[in-house]
Each structure stands twice: as C-alpha cells, then as structure tokens.
Amino acid sequence: MVARRRGVGQLACLCALALALATAGCGSDSQDEGGADGGTAVASATSFPDFLDPALSYSTLGWQMMWVVYTPLLTYAHAEGSAGSRLIPGLAEALPDVSSDGRTYRLTLRSGLRYSDGGAVRASDFEHTIKRVLNLESGGSFYYLGIEGAEDYVKAGTARADISGIVTDDDTGAITIRLKAPDGTFPNVLALNFAGLVPGDTPFQNRTRDPAPGVGAYRIEDVRAGRGFELVKVPGFAVGDIGAAKLDRISVRVVANRRRQTQDTIANKIDYMIDQPAPDQIRMVRDRYSGGRYREYATASTYFFFLNHRVAPFDDKRVRQAVNHAIDRNAIPRLYGGLLTPSCNYLPPQITGYRKLDPCPYGDTPDLAKARSLVSAAGVAGDEVKVFGSTEPESRASAEHLADVLTSIGLKGRPQIVSGAVFLGTVGNAKTRAQAGFAAFFQDFPHPANFTTLVDGRAIQPTNSANQGNVDDAQITAILERAGTNADLGAVADDYAAVDRRIVEEAHVVPFGNRENTVLYSDRVDADSCTLWHPVYNLDLTRLCLR
C-alpha cells in the first residue's frame, strides 16, 4: 500500500461441483441485496497490480482483489463506514481467545473448508502462509516478526523450517499463536490480506502468473501479465457472514490512458472504472453524473514524499526541512483534480491520534528563501536528486512537481518514472538507493500504528521495505513500542499524536494531503442497490452487480 497498501492465489470454498465437496463452510448463492445476480462486468485499471499473490501484494488495487479471493482467519465486515471496520471471524470459527497477558491467541479453523481447487483447508496452512510472507521478504513481513520464533525463522533462511510460536492441529483445526510481547494491533494483523490462507504446498515464490488456490467469493484466472486477469465466481461460496459474489465474472483490464477509460465508461464499454478520471475530466464527470454513476468517497489515507535518510542529500535534516519549507501544499491538490485535501499532518483525520498541526511548523505558504538557505548551509547546492514516481498520472505529476521544487531551491531535481506495477518493489529495494519519491498510503486497518509502520525503523528491510525513507528515529520507536502493547486505543491516542508531530517537526517525510476516491460506473451497473464502499478495501466487488 504505497498505494497499498500498497497476490496470487485465492481463498475460496467450493460447494457445488459435487456432493462430495459439499461442506459446512459453503452456502447458497442467493442474496438479499437488490440488483440481478449473474453476468460479466468489465473493470479497468491504469496499471497491473503490484502482485497477485497474497503474501506479496501491497497496493490498493491488489488488496481490493485479494480481499475477495483470499480470506484470512479474521476479516472485516462487508459494510460501509465504521461498521466496515469491525473485525469478524473469517476462516476461524470465532474471534480469538486471548490470554490474560495478551501474548497467546487461540483460534479454531471452521470445519469442512475447501480451496477453490477442491483441496481441504488445514490448520497447518496458516503457518505455511506466514512462512511465505517472511521467506519472500514481503512488505508485510514486519507485522509478523512479533510472533515467537519468526525472527529466528528469517535468520535461518530455510523456507520450511519451523516457526516455534505457531502451533497447529490439523485434526481439531486448533491454531495457537504466541507473541514475544503483547500487541494491541494483532487481531488486525490476523485480518491482513498477507494472512489469507493458501495450501501448504504452495511454493515459496511469487505466484502472480499462476495464482494459488484460495478461499473466497472469487478465484483468479487467465492472468495476462501487464494486461489484465479474470475474477471468476466460486460456486456456492459462503463462509460465516461472508456471502457469495453476485456477478459470475469480472474482467479486469489494464487501460493506461485514463481519459480513454473515462470515455469508455461513459459509453458503457467499461462497467467499473477503478481509478479516478483524469484531473481535467473531474468537473465534467461530477457535474453530469454525481449521485448516480459517479460517486466520491473520503478515505483514511496520507499522501507524502519520502526522503531517504540513508542517502545524500536527505541524510541531512536541514535538506529535509528545506523541502518541507518549499512545498506548496495548497497548490498540489490541483494535480488531483481537487480530490486531495491539503494537510501538514502525517496521520489522516479519520485515525485516532490525529491532532491538526495548526500552525504548520513550516508555515501555510512556501518559504523558498528559507529553503535555499538550508540547502546552502548543508553544502549540497547543485546536487542531483532523482525523484521516483510511477506511470500512474498523479504519481508521475507529483514526482515531476517535487523535482521542480528541488530545482527551485538549489538542487537538481530529476524525475525517475517507473512502471506502476514495479514501483513499490523498486523504491522498497535498498539497492535502488531511491533518494526521494511519491508515496500514498491507504489504511491496511483502522489504527494509527498501521500508518506509523512507514516511519518505523523496525520495518526497514532490504527488499519490499514499507519504510521507503529508512526513517529510524529512536524516540519514535520507543513511543511505538510502548503504545503498541496497549489494546485500549483511546488510552494511547496522545502517544500517536506525539509521533505524528515528531514525524513532521523532524522532517522525516513531506506530508501534503489526504485523498478522496472516486467511482465511475456504466449505465449497466445498479449503483444504488448493489454497490458498497468499504473503508479498507474500497469498492466491495462481491456486492457489485448489473441491472
């Protein structure tokens, strides 16, 4: 995520192929929502997902797909607003039983679950799933290193070695997880797509081209690298409170030109446009289709520029401060068609711990003279800086904007644009030594610790690093270690507010706004009866239907 936050297989439950496969984990296709069942919809995206492997996917588009293909032990209710932030049992029978010291979690796998290929789901598949996350150096590895034995497993470098803190029983479905220390976010961690179960024989390699089986409303078929893939309904799927998909198939196609996407959606050639229209089309679309085919939704997101603390010139705090003084936070939203609210904070307003920084430590308007003075004092005037952005329009435009700003304060900014499909892997790889770049993060789960991961020194890793700027602030780490053990989020809200302020005052990143997302449909979509905007996963593809 990072446009998340920044895949491969699919968690799905087969019930109807034969009576022999009928299980207690499967149910009826019927739904109470409006709109017709069945049919095929076409969805468009500007770029291919980063991965179609649940162990690796960490982009917004990838996660939207993973959620309906791979179900973890816990998941989120399929509902809008705050109700959608509620944890519910996924493949587990119930929410976990947690020991009094907060270190031991006990769950039981639902009986009779089967993957989309008909294979039985086993409790031991959970440990294999977490091993893949750690072994493949996923951007989500950080979340699971608090499990006893996880760090030893990584150090050993043996894929099929044991993680001592995970004990499973395939006969009873029992899963016991022991943590090194209490972690108030661990129930949310269990609900992350990274923990979506895959079979125990799934190879320790990126399975994007050949997705592994999963347990979910859809399975992924016909992957066309860089061009698209198919989401195909799993017959009879239903697990707990998670219902079947309404559509038989969603054909996801990559259409790089968003102006074309917009026009094709208006012309009913595309049923669901995942990305927003081009900035110069927003007003037209808003005026003509708002409330019907076009909707706007606030998101818990933070948009910022990362500055690599381990690479010159941003290893010098003065240069990082210079960038913060030079950025015009009120001008950048124009790059987003007005769908970005300026902000000096790192945490977004919807997240506990947010306290508006008023005044902003760097003022409300750019101070280029101050910025040039700091660059000069640091002795880096004239240094070249490559600013990374992706081929996605806002990312490219933001990177180009930052490059211009850097040039205006005495550096030599150079945009470095890479494919959206490989952007996160590129800037998250230590060997790239990315000096600066665009970053956008949408919540993985509704908790401030989720956002602070991107500036937590403990999250730095050689590849797929979520902490792209290599921020390693001992004071922040100490606060996060203390606050993270408390399951009472309200009790530690001030701690997260203090971290937010320090992130900004120490110029660890350059925050500039919070995003609204858009959805544009064809006339074929029953937008009133069967669309659901989820606070974590955006449009819920299981509810999408046609008239």
Side-chain angles (χ1 to χ4, degrees), residues 470-487:
N470 292 303
V471 179
D472 194 1
D473 183 315
Q475 184 172 324
I476 288 178
T477 300
I479 296 174
L480 294 180
E481 285 181 338
R482 180 177 69 250
T485 64
N486 197 328

Side-chain angles (χ1 to χ4, degrees), residues 232-292:
V232 180
K233 181 177 180 176
V234 175
F237 170 83
V239 169
D241 293 334
I242 309 169
K246 295 184 73 68
L247 290 168
D248 292 330
R249 179 183 293 260
I250 301 175
S251 181
V252 182
R253 302 174 183 174
V254 174
V255 182
N257 187 315
R258 279 200 289 169
R259 293 186 60 80
R260 176 186 164 194
Q261 285 189 60
T262 303
Q263 294 301 327
D264 283 354
T265 307
I266 291 172
N268 299 317
K269 297 177 182 178
I270 292 171
D271 296 302
Y272 163 43
M273 182 176 174
I274 297 173
D275 300 297
Q276 72 171 53
D280 61 350
Q281 293 176 309
I282 292 291
R283 178 174 294 181
M284 176 273 290
V285 174
R286 184 185 290 135
D287 289 346
R288 293 184 185 179
Y289 303 108
S290 283

